């Protein structure tokens, strides 16, 4: 029986989405989406497959998160942004599909209070301990001055930072601490709903992830 006053009902699970097709035994595997039922399962996935550079930035920013961005009247949707132009000079496209698998996220005050936090995940090949130097296919881009990424209909120029540097004002840590949109290119990602966030943050603070 549905009870709208029950806080434990109507709660969507965390989801694992594979954005880009993969090849196994010569067969192209299509993108998939599956559910993650518990915080413990989500933590285990982040610990084993989470992008290490992103985890470093989360910890350095005092556990600030990125949140999936939906189209609103205040910010452009991913389809309205010149994703190819932003990433093209520094980041190659996916070798199988020839396309970019990009998610628009937001940090700080631009994030919706009901949005899912987004966690870029490496492929199993790159997340193993003996693959140093492996290109995990995960990249980030955000406005140098913060705020929203301008749509293609806006003729004003906007300097974008792609991947950034390890320190200084252009680091991924600074993007997490600011109020801005961030484009995330990743082969797969985990989305965790708000009601799991408190326990997820506590789990991250107590884990030796890096």
């Amino acid at each position: 029986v549905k009870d709208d006053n029950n806080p434990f009902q109507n709660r969507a699970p965390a989801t694992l989405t594979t954005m880009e097709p993969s090849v196994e035994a010569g067969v192209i595997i299509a993108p998939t989406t599956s559910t993650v039922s518990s915080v413990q399962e989500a933590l285990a996935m982040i610990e084993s497959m989470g992008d290490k550079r992103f985890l470093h930035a989360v910890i350095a920013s005092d556990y600030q998160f990125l949140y999936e961005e939906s189209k609103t009247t205040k910010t452009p949707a991913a389809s309205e942004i010149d994703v190819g132009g932003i990433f093209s000079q520094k980041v190659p496209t996916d070798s199988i599909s020839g396309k970019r698998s990009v998610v628009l996220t937001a940090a700080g005050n631009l994030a919706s209070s009901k949005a899912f936090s987004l966690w870029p995940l490496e492929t199993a090949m790159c997340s193993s301990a003996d693959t140093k130097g492996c290109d995990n296919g995960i990249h980030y881009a955000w406005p140098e001055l913060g705020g929203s990424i301008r749509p293609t209909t806006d003729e004003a120029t906007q300097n974008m930072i792609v991947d950034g540097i390890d320190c200084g004002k252009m680091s991924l840590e600074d993007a997490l601490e600011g109020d801005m949109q961030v484009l995330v290119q990743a082969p797969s990602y985990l989305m965790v709903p708000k009601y799991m966030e408190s326990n997820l943050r506590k789990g991250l603070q107590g884990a030796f992830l890096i």
Side-chain angles (χ1 to χ4, degrees):
V1 178
K2 183 178 179 181
D3 180 3
D4 292 333
N5 294 321
N6 187 337
F8 296 100
Q9 288 188 4
N10 303 320
R11 287 186 169 187
T15 58
L16 169 64
T17 300
T18 301
M19 293 285 287
E20 298 175 359
S22 60
V23 177
E24 295 181 9
V27 178
I28 297 179
I29 308 300
T32 59
T33 299
S34 57
T35 60
V36 176
S37 59
S38 68
V39 173
Q40 290 72 23
E41 187 179 357
L43 279 168
M45 196 170 292
I46 292 171
E47 183 173 0
S48 62
M49 298 178 62
D51 177 29
K52 300 301 184 290
R53 185 159 65 95
F54 181 72
L55 293 175
H56 272 294
V58 168
I59 293 172
S61 66
D62 195 22
Y63 298 91
Q64 300 299 310
F65 295 169
L66 281 181
Y67 297 91
E68 184 194 24
E69 177 79 347
S70 298
K71 182 176 180 179
T72 67
T73 57
K74 295 182 179 180
T75 58
S79 61
E80 300 171 335
I81 294 172
D82 183 12
V83 172
I86 291 171
F87 281 108
S88 60
Q89 294 187 358
K90 192 169 183 178
V91 181
T93 59
D94 173 59
S95 59
I96 298 174
S97 66
K99 300 178 181 179
R100 297 186 186 279
S101 298
V102 176
V103 179
L104 182 63
T105 68
N109 291 328
L110 286 188
S112 167
S113 61
K114 298 181 180 179
F116 283 42
S117 62
L118 185 136
W119 300 85
L121 302 179
E122 300 177 337
T123 61
M125 181 182 299
C126 278
S127 60
S128 59
D130 57 351
T131 54
K132 291 183 178 180
C134 178
D135 181 6
N136 64 10
I138 300 175
H139 302 279
Y140 309 87
W142 61 90
E144 182 177 0
L145 299 179
S148 299
I149 301 173
R150 289 175 180 163
T152 54
T153 54
D154 190 333
E155 296 182 356
T157 59
Q158 183 180 43
N159 293 329
M160 296 292 296
I161 297 170
V162 178
D163 285 340
I165 56 179
D166 292 332
C167 58
K169 69 176 182 179
M170 294 188 295
S171 70
L172 184 56
E173 171 192 345
D174 292 305
L176 290 174
E177 291 178 334
D179 299 323
M180 66 187 71
Q181 289 184 314
V182 180
L183 288 170
V184 180
Q185 177 178 313
S188 61
Y189 61 89
L190 178 69
M191 289 202 309
V192 180
K194 276 285 188 177
Y195 72 87
M196 290 186 177
E197 185 171 301
S198 178
N199 287 334
L200 179 67
R201 185 174 276 106
K202 290 178 182 177
L204 291 171
Q205 291 171 339
F208 295 96
L209 297 178
I210 307 301

PDB file of all heavy atoms in Angstrom, residues 33-58:
ATOM      1  N   THR A  33      22.085   0.191 -17.589  1.00  0.00           N
ATOM      2  CA  THR A  33      21.812   0.838 -16.311  1.00  0.00           C
ATOM      3  C   THR A  33      21.346  -0.218 -15.326  1.00  0.00           C
ATOM      4  O   THR A  33      20.505  -1.052 -15.657  1.00  0.00           O
ATOM      5  CB  THR A  33      20.723   1.916 -16.453  1.00  0.00           C
ATOM      6  OG1 THR A  33      21.175   2.914 -17.369  1.00  0.00           O
ATOM      7  CG2 THR A  33      20.444   2.583 -15.112  1.00  0.00           C
ATOM      8  N   SER A  34      21.914  -0.215 -14.118  1.00  0.00           N
ATOM      9  CA  SER A  34      21.513  -1.158 -13.081  1.00  0.00           C
ATOM     10  C   SER A  34      21.381  -0.420 -11.760  1.00  0.00           C
ATOM     11  O   SER A  34      21.879   0.694 -11.603  1.00  0.00           O
ATOM     12  CB  SER A  34      22.530  -2.299 -12.953  1.00  0.00           C
ATOM     13  OG  SER A  34      23.828  -1.795 -12.692  1.00  0.00           O
ATOM     14  N   THR A  35      20.700  -1.032 -10.800  1.00  0.00           N
ATOM     15  CA  THR A  35      20.461  -0.377  -9.517  1.00  0.00           C
ATOM     16  C   THR A  35      21.487  -0.815  -8.477  1.00  0.00           C
ATOM     17  O   THR A  35      22.042  -1.909  -8.529  1.00  0.00           O
ATOM     18  CB  THR A  35      19.049  -0.691  -8.996  1.00  0.00           C
ATOM     19  OG1 THR A  35      18.919  -2.114  -8.830  1.00  0.00           O
ATOM     20  CG2 THR A  35      17.998  -0.190  -9.961  1.00  0.00           C
ATOM     21  N   VAL A  36      21.733   0.081  -7.536  1.00  0.00           N
ATOM     22  CA  VAL A  36      22.622  -0.175  -6.397  1.00  0.00           C
ATOM     23  C   VAL A  36      21.784   0.080  -5.151  1.00  0.00           C
ATOM     24  O   VAL A  36      21.354   1.203  -4.900  1.00  0.00           O
ATOM     25  CB  VAL A  36      23.851   0.757  -6.432  1.00  0.00           C
ATOM     26  CG1 VAL A  36      24.722   0.546  -5.205  1.00  0.00           C
ATOM     27  CG2 VAL A  36      24.652   0.523  -7.719  1.00  0.00           C
ATOM     28  N   SER A  37      21.540  -0.952  -4.378  1.00  0.00           N
ATOM     29  CA  SER A  37      20.502  -0.892  -3.351  1.00  0.00           C
ATOM     30  C   SER A  37      20.936  -0.310  -2.011  1.00  0.00           C
ATOM     31  O   SER A  37      20.097   0.074  -1.206  1.00  0.00           O
ATOM     32  CB  SER A  37      19.912  -2.286  -3.122  1.00  0.00           C
ATOM     33  OG  SER A  37      20.938  -3.189  -2.728  1.00  0.00           O
ATOM     34  N   SER A  38      22.236  -0.225  -1.736  1.00  0.00           N
ATOM     35  CA  SER A  38      22.658   0.197  -0.400  1.00  0.00           C
ATOM     36  C   SER A  38      23.846   1.138  -0.460  1.00  0.00           C
ATOM     37  O   SER A  38      24.587   1.176  -1.452  1.00  0.00           O
ATOM     38  CB  SER A  38      23.040  -1.025   0.445  1.00  0.00           C
ATOM     39  OG  SER A  38      24.220  -1.629  -0.054  1.00  0.00           O
ATOM     40  N   VAL A  39      24.022   1.892   0.623  1.00  0.00           N
ATOM     41  CA  VAL A  39      25.178   2.784   0.736  1.00  0.00           C
ATOM     42  C   VAL A  39      26.463   1.982   0.746  1.00  0.00           C
ATOM     43  O   VAL A  39      27.472   2.383   0.156  1.00  0.00           O
ATOM     44  CB  VAL A  39      25.067   3.654   2.002  1.00  0.00           C
ATOM     45  CG1 VAL A  39      26.343   4.460   2.213  1.00  0.00           C
ATOM     46  CG2 VAL A  39      23.872   4.588   1.918  1.00  0.00           C
ATOM     47  N   GLN A  40      26.458   0.824   1.413  1.00  0.00           N
ATOM     48  CA  GLN A  40      27.646  -0.012   1.485  1.00  0.00           C
ATOM     49  C   GLN A  40      28.089  -0.470   0.096  1.00  0.00           C
ATOM     50  O   GLN A  40      29.285  -0.469  -0.225  1.00  0.00           O
ATOM     51  CB  GLN A  40      27.382  -1.236   2.378  1.00  0.00           C
ATOM     52  CG  GLN A  40      27.235  -0.925   3.858  1.00  0.00           C
ATOM     53  CD  GLN A  40      25.921  -0.226   4.196  1.00  0.00           C
ATOM     54  OE1 GLN A  40      24.931  -0.326   3.454  1.00  0.00           O
ATOM     55  NE2 GLN A  40      25.900   0.485   5.312  1.00  0.00           N
ATOM     56  N   GLU A  41      27.124  -0.835  -0.721  1.00  0.00           N
ATOM     57  CA  GLU A  41      27.441  -1.251  -2.089  1.00  0.00           C
ATOM     58  C   GLU A  41      27.991  -0.077  -2.893  1.00  0.00           C
ATOM     59  O   GLU A  41      28.940  -0.230  -3.676  1.00  0.00           O
ATOM     60  CB  GLU A  41      26.197  -1.830  -2.756  1.00  0.00           C
ATOM     61  CG  GLU A  41      26.443  -2.440  -4.121  1.00  0.00           C
ATOM     62  CD  GLU A  41      25.192  -3.036  -4.742  1.00  0.00           C
ATOM     63  OE1 GLU A  41      24.125  -3.024  -4.074  1.00  0.00           O
ATOM     64  OE2 GLU A  41      25.276  -3.498  -5.895  1.00  0.00           O
ATOM     65  N   ALA A  42      27.396   1.098  -2.708  1.00  0.00           N
ATOM     66  CA  ALA A  42      27.876   2.286  -3.405  1.00  0.00           C
ATOM     67  C   ALA A  42      29.297   2.647  -2.978  1.00  0.00           C
ATOM     68  O   ALA A  42      30.154   2.971  -3.817  1.00  0.00           O
ATOM     69  CB  ALA A  42      26.933   3.463  -3.140  1.00  0.00           C
ATOM     70  N   LEU A  43      29.572   2.566  -1.692  1.00  0.00           N
ATOM     71  CA  LEU A  43      30.919   2.856  -1.181  1.00  0.00           C
ATOM     72  C   LEU A  43      31.943   1.887  -1.754  1.00  0.00           C
ATOM     73  O   LEU A  43      33.053   2.284  -2.141  1.00  0.00           O
ATOM     74  CB  LEU A  43      30.932   2.776   0.346  1.00  0.00           C
ATOM     75  CG  LEU A  43      30.411   4.001   1.098  1.00  0.00           C
ATOM     76  CD1 LEU A  43      30.211   3.658   2.568  1.00  0.00           C
ATOM     77  CD2 LEU A  43      31.363   5.176   0.943  1.00  0.00           C
ATOM     78  N   ALA A  44      31.595   0.610  -1.797  1.00  0.00           N
ATOM     79  CA  ALA A  44      32.513  -0.400  -2.325  1.00  0.00           C
ATOM     80  C   ALA A  44      32.821  -0.126  -3.792  1.00  0.00           C
ATOM     81  O   ALA A  44      33.965  -0.275  -4.256  1.00  0.00           O
ATOM     82  CB  ALA A  44      31.914  -1.793  -2.147  1.00  0.00           C
ATOM     83  N   MET A  45      31.812   0.308  -4.534  1.00  0.00           N
ATOM     84  CA  MET A  45      32.004   0.607  -5.947  1.00  0.00           C
ATOM     85  C   MET A  45      32.882   1.841  -6.130  1.00  0.00           C
ATOM     86  O   MET A  45      33.779   1.871  -6.984  1.00  0.00           O
ATOM     87  CB  MET A  45      30.634   0.817  -6.586  1.00  0.00           C
ATOM     88  CG  MET A  45      30.616   0.767  -8.092  1.00  0.00           C
ATOM     89  SD  MET A  45      28.911   0.721  -8.698  1.00  0.00           S
ATOM     90  CE  MET A  45      28.426  -0.920  -8.109  1.00  0.00           C
ATOM     91  N   ILE A  46      32.645   2.877  -5.326  1.00  0.00           N
ATOM     92  CA  ILE A  46      33.456   4.096  -5.401  1.00  0.00           C
ATOM     93  C   ILE A  46      34.897   3.801  -5.017  1.00  0.00           C
ATOM     94  O   ILE A  46      35.844   4.287  -5.645  1.00  0.00           O
ATOM     95  CB  ILE A  46      32.861   5.197  -4.496  1.00  0.00           C
ATOM     96  CG1 ILE A  46      31.517   5.671  -5.065  1.00  0.00           C
ATOM     97  CG2 ILE A  46      33.823   6.372  -4.361  1.00  0.00           C
ATOM     98  CD1 ILE A  46      30.746   6.585  -4.138  1.00  0.00           C
ATOM     99  N   GLU A  47      35.093   2.970  -4.003  1.00  0.00           N
ATOM    100  CA  GLU A  47      36.443   2.645  -3.538  1.00  0.00           C
ATOM    101  C   GLU A  47      37.215   1.847  -4.580  1.00  0.00           C
ATOM    102  O   GLU A  47      38.404   2.076  -4.790  1.00  0.00           O
ATOM    103  CB  GLU A  47      36.378   1.852  -2.243  1.00  0.00           C
ATOM    104  CG  GLU A  47      37.747   1.528  -1.661  1.00  0.00           C
ATOM    105  CD  GLU A  47      37.673   0.885  -0.296  1.00  0.00           C
ATOM    106  OE1 GLU A  47      36.544   0.692   0.203  1.00  0.00           O
ATOM    107  OE2 GLU A  47      38.728   0.572   0.270  1.00  0.00           O
ATOM    108  N   SER A  48      36.556   0.924  -5.260  1.00  0.00           N
ATOM    109  CA  SER A  48      37.262   0.052  -6.195  1.00  0.00           C
ATOM    110  C   SER A  48      37.365   0.630  -7.607  1.00  0.00           C
ATOM    111  O   SER A  48      38.347   0.366  -8.311  1.00  0.00           O
ATOM    112  CB  SER A  48      36.564  -1.311  -6.264  1.00  0.00           C
ATOM    113  OG  SER A  48      35.232  -1.183  -6.758  1.00  0.00           O
ATOM    114  N   MET A  49      36.366   1.436  -8.021  1.00  0.00           N
ATOM    115  CA  MET A  49      36.335   1.891  -9.408  1.00  0.00           C
ATOM    116  C   MET A  49      36.273   3.404  -9.571  1.00  0.00           C
ATOM    117  O   MET A  49      36.343   3.909 -10.688  1.00  0.00           O
ATOM    118  CB  MET A  49      35.119   1.273 -10.121  1.00  0.00           C
ATOM    119  CG  MET A  49      35.146  -0.236 -10.190  1.00  0.00           C
ATOM    120  SD  MET A  49      33.653  -0.906 -10.992  1.00  0.00           S
ATOM    121  CE  MET A  49      33.795  -0.188 -12.638  1.00  0.00           C
ATOM    122  N   GLY A  50      36.138   4.144  -8.465  1.00  0.00           N
ATOM    123  CA  GLY A  50      36.034   5.597  -8.564  1.00  0.00           C
ATOM    124  C   GLY A  50      37.288   6.230  -9.139  1.00  0.00           C
ATOM    125  O   GLY A  50      38.404   5.771  -8.877  1.00  0.00           O
ATOM    126  N   ASP A  51      37.120   7.282  -9.928  1.00  0.00           N
ATOM    127  CA  ASP A  51      38.248   8.019 -10.486  1.00  0.00           C
ATOM    128  C   ASP A  51      39.072   8.600  -9.343  1.00  0.00           C
ATOM    129  O   ASP A  51      38.585   9.417  -8.561  1.00  0.00           O
ATOM    130  CB  ASP A  51      37.726   9.131 -11.390  1.00  0.00           C
ATOM    131  CG  ASP A  51      38.832   9.992 -11.971  1.00  0.00           C
ATOM    132  OD1 ASP A  51      39.950   9.470 -12.154  1.00  0.00           O
ATOM    133  OD2 ASP A  51      38.588  11.184 -12.237  1.00  0.00           O
ATOM    134  N   LYS A  52      40.326   8.188  -9.242  1.00  0.00           N
ATOM    135  CA  LYS A  52      41.164   8.587  -8.104  1.00  0.00           C
ATOM    136  C   LYS A  52      41.391  10.089  -8.054  1.00  0.00           C
ATOM    137  O   LYS A  52      41.458  10.685  -6.978  1.00  0.00           O
ATOM    138  CB  LYS A  52      42.505   7.838  -8.158  1.00  0.00           C
ATOM    139  CG  LYS A  52      42.371   6.324  -8.093  1.00  0.00           C
ATOM    140  CD  LYS A  52      41.668   5.893  -6.822  1.00  0.00           C
ATOM    141  CE  LYS A  52      41.605   4.379  -6.678  1.00  0.00           C
ATOM    142  NZ  LYS A  52      40.698   3.735  -7.641  1.00  0.00           N
ATOM    143  N   ARG A  53      41.504  10.723  -9.205  1.00  0.00           N
ATOM    144  CA  ARG A  53      41.703  12.179  -9.206  1.00  0.00           C
ATOM    145  C   ARG A  53      40.460  12.884  -8.659  1.00  0.00           C
ATOM    146  O   ARG A  53      40.567  13.865  -7.924  1.00  0.00           O
ATOM    147  CB  ARG A  53      42.006  12.658 -10.633  1.00  0.00           C
ATOM    148  CG  ARG A  53      42.350  14.134 -10.718  1.00  0.00           C
ATOM    149  CD  ARG A  53      43.110  14.391 -11.994  1.00  0.00           C
ATOM    150  NE  ARG A  53      42.276  14.130 -13.149  1.00  0.00           N
ATOM    151  CZ  ARG A  53      41.591  15.076 -13.792  1.00  0.00           C
ATOM    152  NH1 ARG A  53      41.624  16.328 -13.351  1.00  0.00           N
ATOM    153  NH2 ARG A  53      40.876  14.800 -14.848  1.00  0.00           N
ATOM    154  N   PHE A  54      39.295  12.375  -9.021  1.00  0.00           N
ATOM    155  CA  PHE A  54      38.056  12.958  -8.508  1.00  0.00           C
ATOM    156  C   PHE A  54      37.949  12.744  -7.002  1.00  0.00           C
ATOM    157  O   PHE A  54      37.558  13.655  -6.259  1.00  0.00           O
ATOM    158  CB  PHE A  54      36.860  12.336  -9.221  1.00  0.00           C
ATOM    159  CG  PHE A  54      35.535  12.891  -8.776  1.00  0.00           C
ATOM    160  CD1 PHE A  54      35.158  14.174  -9.132  1.00  0.00           C
ATOM    161  CD2 PHE A  54      34.669  12.144  -7.997  1.00  0.00           C
ATOM    162  CE1 PHE A  54      33.931  14.707  -8.733  1.00  0.00           C
ATOM    163  CE2 PHE A  54      33.443  12.662  -7.590  1.00  0.00           C
ATOM    164  CZ  PHE A  54      33.078  13.935  -7.960  1.00  0.00           C
ATOM    165  N   LEU A  55      38.309  11.570  -6.507  1.00  0.00           N
ATOM    166  CA  LEU A  55      38.247  11.295  -5.071  1.00  0.00           C
ATOM    167  C   LEU A  55      39.214  12.189  -4.299  1.00  0.00           C
ATOM    168  O   LEU A  55      38.890  12.676  -3.215  1.00  0.00           O
ATOM    169  CB  LEU A  55      38.554   9.819  -4.800  1.00  0.00           C
ATOM    170  CG  LEU A  55      37.500   8.829  -5.315  1.00  0.00           C
ATOM    171  CD1 LEU A  55      37.977   7.391  -5.099  1.00  0.00           C
ATOM    172  CD2 LEU A  55      36.166   9.037  -4.629  1.00  0.00           C
ATOM    173  N   HIS A  56      40.408  12.399  -4.858  1.00  0.00           N
ATOM    174  CA  HIS A  56      41.355  13.338  -4.229  1.00  0.00           C
ATOM    175  C   HIS A  56      40.716  14.721  -4.102  1.00  0.00           C
ATOM    176  O   HIS A  56      40.831  15.382  -3.063  1.00  0.00           O
ATOM    177  CB  HIS A  56      42.623  13.448  -5.072  1.00  0.00           C
ATOM    178  CG  HIS A  56      43.671  12.433  -4.751  1.00  0.00           C
ATOM    179  ND1 HIS A  56      44.330  12.393  -3.544  1.00  0.00           N
ATOM    180  CD2 HIS A  56      44.188  11.409  -5.483  1.00  0.00           C
ATOM    181  CE1 HIS A  56      45.207  11.402  -3.541  1.00  0.00           C
ATOM    182  NE2 HIS A  56      45.133  10.787  -4.704  1.00  0.00           N
ATOM    183  N   ALA A  57      40.051  15.176  -5.171  1.00  0.00           N
ATOM    184  CA  ALA A  57      39.433  16.502  -5.164  1.00  0.00           C
ATOM    185  C   ALA A  57      38.282  16.574  -4.162  1.00  0.00           C
ATOM    186  O   ALA A  57      38.113  17.588  -3.480  1.00  0.00           O
ATOM    187  CB  ALA A  57      38.939  16.850  -6.571  1.00  0.00           C
ATOM    188  N   VAL A  58      37.488  15.519  -4.059  1.00  0.00           N
ATOM    189  CA  VAL A  58      36.390  15.490  -3.090  1.00  0.00           C
ATOM    190  C   VAL A  58      36.929  15.620  -1.672  1.00  0.00           C
ATOM    191  O   VAL A  58      36.418  16.403  -0.852  1.00  0.00           O
ATOM    192  CB  VAL A  58      35.568  14.183  -3.239  1.00  0.00           C
ATOM    193  CG1 VAL A  58      34.624  14.005  -2.058  1.00  0.00           C
ATOM    194  CG2 VAL A  58      34.775  14.208  -4.539  1.00  0.00           C
TER     195      VAL A  58
END
